[in-house]
């Protein structure tokens, strides 16, 4: 891509944290505390799907979409993890979780509950949801077919490759966020 900076692949946290946001450093601190290994790429802000594909290709992973959703009343919030190749179909998800009319939650709710901004939505943001206001939904294909997931460390200028089982068995129990398994239809269905 023209003028899009992507670093080499690193293992673990950056050696020099100068200029990095506190929420990013807290993410690395928690991953290290939980003995969760990860690979990292630093890059310019990812605001195109092509940039995401380049990063995922370098990390050797498939895109994992992280969508921050809410009900019409803006009283229930959801973080949906799904394979990048699937299209989000709100009706199929709404029926499975018993919530009518899901839509994308606004940036003010991302900031309030997950301490993240648009473009940085990540399962790792659940570490900031100490009041457990966000319900985690994971498409079964993420668990069944993705050994690793890619996600941001609460900021979209770095991307991490983390073992899916480490997220499920170490990270989520530590941050006290169970998940609901959902089955979103593929294009063929």
């Amino acid at each position: 891509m023209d003028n899009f900076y992507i670093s080499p692949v690193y293992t673990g946290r950056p050696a020099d944290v100068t200029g990095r946001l506190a929420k990013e450093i807290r993410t690395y601190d928690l991953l290290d505390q939980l003995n969760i290994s990860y690979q990292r790429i630093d890059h310019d802000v990812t605001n195109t799907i092509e940039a995401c594909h380049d990063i995922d290709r370098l990390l050797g992973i498939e895109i994992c979409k992280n969508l921050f959703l809410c009900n019409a009343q803006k009283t229930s919030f959801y973080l949906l993890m799904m394979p990048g190749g699937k299209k989000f179909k709100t009706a199929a998800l709404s029926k499975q979780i018993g919530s009518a009319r899901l839509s994308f939650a606004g940036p003010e709710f991302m900031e309030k509950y997950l301490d993240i901004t648009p473009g940085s939505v990540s399962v790792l943001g659940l570490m900031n949801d100490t009041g457990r206001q966000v319900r985690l939904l994971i498409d079964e294909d993420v668990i069944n077919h993705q050994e690793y997931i890619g996600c941001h460390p609460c900021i979209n200028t770095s991307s991490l490759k983390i073992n899916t089982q480490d997220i499920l068995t170490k990270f989520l129990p530590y941050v006290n966020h169970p998940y609901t398994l959902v089955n979103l239809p593929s294009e063929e269905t």
Side-chain angles (χ1 to χ4, degrees):
M1 295 191 69
D2 295 334
N3 300 323
F4 183 79
Y5 169 75
I6 300 178
S7 77
V9 177
Y10 299 104
T11 299
R13 70 188 306 126
D16 180 8
V17 296
T18 305
R20 296 193 183 249
L21 297 177
K23 60 185 166 185
E24 180 184 3
I25 303 310
R26 284 194 318 268
T27 303
Y28 300 136
D29 289 345
L30 180 57
L31 292 173
D32 292 347
Q33 177 187 336
L34 297 175
N35 293 314
I36 295 176
S37 61
Y38 53 95
Q39 291 184 309
R40 186 188 88 253
I41 288 182
D42 298 323
H43 48 76
D44 290 336
V45 171
T46 51
N47 51 14
T48 67
I49 196 68
E50 292 81 22
C52 293
H53 284 298
D54 287 347
I55 291 164
D56 289 345
R57 192 170 31 261
L58 286 170
L59 286 173
I61 55 177
E62 179 186 342
I63 285 178
C64 182
K65 287 183 195 172
N66 292 268
L67 305 177
F68 190 55
L69 309 167
C70 65
N71 63 357
Q73 299 79 18
K74 296 179 175 47
T75 56
S76 295
F77 297 90
Y78 307 91
L79 176 61
L80 171 64
M81 294 174 63
M82 62 184 286
K86 279 191 175 181
K87 289 201 178 210
F88 172 58
K89 296 182 179 180
T90 186
L93 181 61
S94 295
K95 185 175 181 181
Q96 289 182 52
I97 64 171
S99 177
R101 294 186 15 160
L102 290 174
S103 63
F104 292 99
E108 67 276 16
F109 297 110
M110 290 180 195
E111 187 88 30
K112 178 178 180 179
Y113 296 123
L114 302 177
D115 192 20
I116 55 177
T117 55
S120 302
V121 177
S122 167
V123 66
L124 299 176
L126 292 174
M127 67 184 274
N128 301 312
D129 181 27
T130 55
R132 294 187 54 214
Q133 299 298 307
V134 179
R135 180 176 168 193
L136 178 60
L137 311 172
I138 304 178
D139 182 85
E140 64 183 17
D141 284 344
V142 171
I143 292 175
N144 294 334
H145 303 294
Q146 291 188 219
E147 182 179 359
Y148 294 93
I149 62 163
C151 59
H152 295 302
C154 298
I155 189 73
N156 65 350
T157 53
S158 291
S159 294
L160 308 180
K161 174 184 179 179
I162 302 176
N163 185 288
T164 303
Q165 287 304 310
D166 283 344
I167 294 293
L168 299 175
T169 63
K170 294 179 181 179
F171 177 77
L172 293 176
Y174 183 84
V175 298
N176 197 23
H177 269 75
Y179 62 91
T180 300
L181 204 58
V182 296
N183 181 0
L184 300 174
S186 298
E187 286 303 301
E188 305 84 50
T189 53

